[in-house]
Amino acid sequence: MANPAKPPGRRLVKRMSTRTKWLLLAPISLVLIGYGLCVFSEAAYLKNTGEPFRRWFLLGTYSLIVINTGISLFGQSVIYRAQLTIRREYRRRIRKEIREHLKKENPVRKPERGKRSDIETK
Protein backbone atom coordinates (compact mmCIF):
# COMPACT_ATOMS: atom_id res chain seq x y z
CA MET A 1 0.00 0.00 0.00
CA ALA A 2 1.39 3.41 -0.97
CA ASN A 3 1.53 6.30 1.46
CA PRO A 4 -1.19 8.85 0.82
CA ALA A 5 0.12 12.14 -0.53
CA LYS A 6 0.61 14.79 2.12
CA PRO A 7 -0.42 18.38 1.51
CA PRO A 8 2.52 20.33 0.06
CA GLY A 9 2.62 22.90 2.87
CA ARG A 10 2.72 20.39 5.71
CA ARG A 11 6.43 19.66 5.29
CA LEU A 12 7.20 23.38 5.08
CA VAL A 13 5.28 24.14 8.29
CA LYS A 14 6.88 21.19 10.08
CA ARG A 15 10.36 22.55 9.32
CA MET A 16 9.55 26.05 10.60
CA SER A 17 10.78 27.03 14.02
CA THR A 18 8.27 27.66 16.77
CA ARG A 19 9.25 31.33 16.78
CA THR A 20 8.56 31.67 13.05
CA LYS A 21 5.17 29.99 13.43
CA TRP A 22 4.31 32.38 16.26
CA LEU A 23 5.51 35.42 14.29
CA LEU A 24 3.31 34.42 11.34
CA LEU A 25 0.20 33.29 13.19
CA ALA A 26 -0.19 36.15 15.66
CA PRO A 27 -0.61 39.02 13.17
CA ILE A 28 -2.53 36.92 10.62
CA SER A 29 -5.01 35.85 13.27
CA LEU A 30 -5.52 39.41 14.49
CA VAL A 31 -6.14 40.59 10.91
CA LEU A 32 -8.68 37.80 10.40
CA ILE A 33 -10.52 38.71 13.59
CA GLY A 34 -10.66 42.37 12.56
CA TYR A 35 -11.79 41.55 9.04
CA GLY A 36 -14.46 39.18 10.35
CA LEU A 37 -15.80 41.87 12.67
CA CYS A 38 -15.98 44.36 9.80
CA VAL A 39 -17.90 41.87 7.65
CA PHE A 40 -20.16 41.12 10.61
CA SER A 41 -21.01 44.80 11.03
CA GLU A 42 -21.76 44.99 7.31
CA ALA A 43 -24.13 42.03 7.63
CA ALA A 44 -25.84 43.73 10.57
CA TYR A 45 -26.19 46.91 8.52
CA LEU A 46 -27.73 44.96 5.63
CA LYS A 47 -30.21 43.36 8.02
CA ASN A 48 -31.24 46.72 9.47
CA THR A 49 -31.70 48.30 6.02
CA GLY A 50 -34.15 45.61 4.96
CA GLU A 51 -32.00 43.65 2.54
CA PRO A 52 -33.20 40.12 1.65
CA PHE A 53 -32.69 37.47 4.33
CA ARG A 54 -30.40 35.33 2.20
CA ARG A 55 -27.91 38.13 1.55
CA TRP A 56 -27.32 39.28 5.13
CA PHE A 57 -27.57 35.73 6.52
CA LEU A 58 -24.84 34.40 4.20
CA LEU A 59 -22.64 37.42 4.85
CA GLY A 60 -23.14 37.03 8.61
CA THR A 61 -22.35 33.31 8.44
CA TYR A 62 -19.19 34.04 6.44
CA SER A 63 -18.14 36.66 9.00
CA LEU A 64 -18.61 34.23 11.89
CA ILE A 65 -16.48 31.63 10.08
CA VAL A 66 -13.71 34.21 9.58
CA ILE A 67 -13.90 35.42 13.20
CA ASN A 68 -13.76 31.88 14.59
CA THR A 69 -10.86 31.00 12.30
CA GLY A 70 -8.98 34.06 13.56
CA ILE A 71 -9.68 33.15 17.19
CA SER A 72 -8.53 29.59 16.56
CA LEU A 73 -5.28 30.72 14.92
CA PHE A 74 -4.70 33.22 17.71
CA GLY A 75 -5.12 30.45 20.27
CA GLN A 76 -2.51 28.39 18.42
CA SER A 77 -0.13 31.36 18.36
CA VAL A 78 -0.56 31.71 22.14
CA ILE A 79 0.42 28.04 22.48
CA TYR A 80 3.55 28.63 20.38
CA ARG A 81 4.47 31.65 22.49
CA ALA A 82 4.02 29.67 25.69
CA GLN A 83 6.30 26.95 24.30
CA LEU A 84 8.95 29.58 23.55
CA THR A 85 8.75 30.99 27.06
CA ILE A 86 8.89 27.57 28.71
CA ARG A 87 11.89 26.51 26.63
CA ARG A 88 13.72 29.76 27.41
CA GLU A 89 13.15 29.38 31.16
CA TYR A 90 14.15 25.71 31.03
CA ARG A 91 17.40 26.54 29.23
CA ARG A 92 18.19 29.33 31.70
CA ARG A 93 17.65 26.96 34.62
CA ILE A 94 19.88 24.30 33.05
CA ARG A 95 22.68 26.83 32.36
CA LYS A 96 22.43 28.11 35.95
CA GLU A 97 22.66 24.58 37.35
CA ILE A 98 25.68 23.82 35.15
CA ARG A 99 27.45 26.98 36.34
CA GLU A 100 26.72 26.14 39.98
CA HIS A 101 27.95 22.59 39.48
CA LEU A 102 31.17 23.79 37.86
CA LYS A 103 31.77 26.25 40.70
CA LYS A 104 31.46 23.43 43.23
CA GLU A 105 33.88 21.21 41.27
CA ASN A 106 36.49 23.85 40.47
CA PRO A 107 36.28 26.78 42.85
CA VAL A 108 38.24 29.76 41.61
CA ARG A 109 40.44 31.22 44.30
CA LYS A 110 41.43 34.83 44.01
CA PRO A 111 44.76 35.86 45.50
CA GLU A 112 44.42 37.81 48.71
CA ARG A 113 45.30 41.49 48.68
CA GLY A 114 48.72 42.42 49.88
CA LYS A 115 50.18 38.96 49.47
CA ARG A 116 52.32 37.87 46.57
CA SER A 117 50.85 35.25 44.34
CA ASP A 118 52.69 32.12 43.29
CA ILE A 119 53.06 33.51 39.78
CA GLU A 120 56.19 35.59 39.28
CA THR A 121 55.78 38.76 37.26
CA LYS A 122 58.50 40.48 35.35
Side-chain angles (χ1 to χ4, degrees):
M1 222 181 199
N3 287 339
K6 292 182 181 177
R10 181 172 287 179
R11 197 176 322 145
L12 176 69
V13 171
K14 195 169 189 172
R15 281 189 269 159
M16 280 185 194
S17 71
T18 305
R19 182 173 174 80
T20 304
K21 291 176 190 175
W22 170 67
L23 286 172
L24 288 174
L25 274 183
I28 290 171
S29 63
L30 292 174
V31 167
L32 280 175
I33 292 170
Y35 173 69
L37 290 173
C38 289
V39 174
F40 186 77
S41 69
E42 179 65 22
Y45 174 76
L46 291 176
K47 180 183 179 194
N48 288 333
T49 58
E51 289 290 324
F53 171 79
R54 186 175 184 187
R55 185 166 180 204
W56 63 260
F57 177 78
L58 290 176
L59 195 59
T61 303
Y62 169 70
S63 71
L64 292 176
I65 291 170
V66 173
I67 291 169
N68 287 328
T69 302
I71 291 172
S72 175
L73 292 177
F74 187 75
Q76 188 62 46
S77 73
V78 168
I79 291 171
Y80 288 140
R81 182 61 188 169
Q83 287 175 348
L84 288 171
T85 304
I86 290 168
R87 287 178 189 157
R88 181 178 45 204
E89 292 301 319
Y90 181 74
R91 288 179 182 141
R92 283 181 183 169
R93 189 178 316 141
I94 294 294
R95 282 195 300 265
K96 183 179 177 184
E97 288 175 6
I98 289 172
R99 281 193 303 265
E100 289 173 358
H101 181 72
L102 290 176
K103 283 181 183 177
K104 287 178 183 176
E105 271 187 8
N106 303 321
V108 178
R109 293 188 181 131
K110 295 180 182 178
E112 294 179 24
R113 290 188 160 205
K115 293 187 177 181
R116 291 182 54 169
S117 64
D118 295 336
I119 303 171
E120 294 292 325
T121 57
K122 291 185 180 182

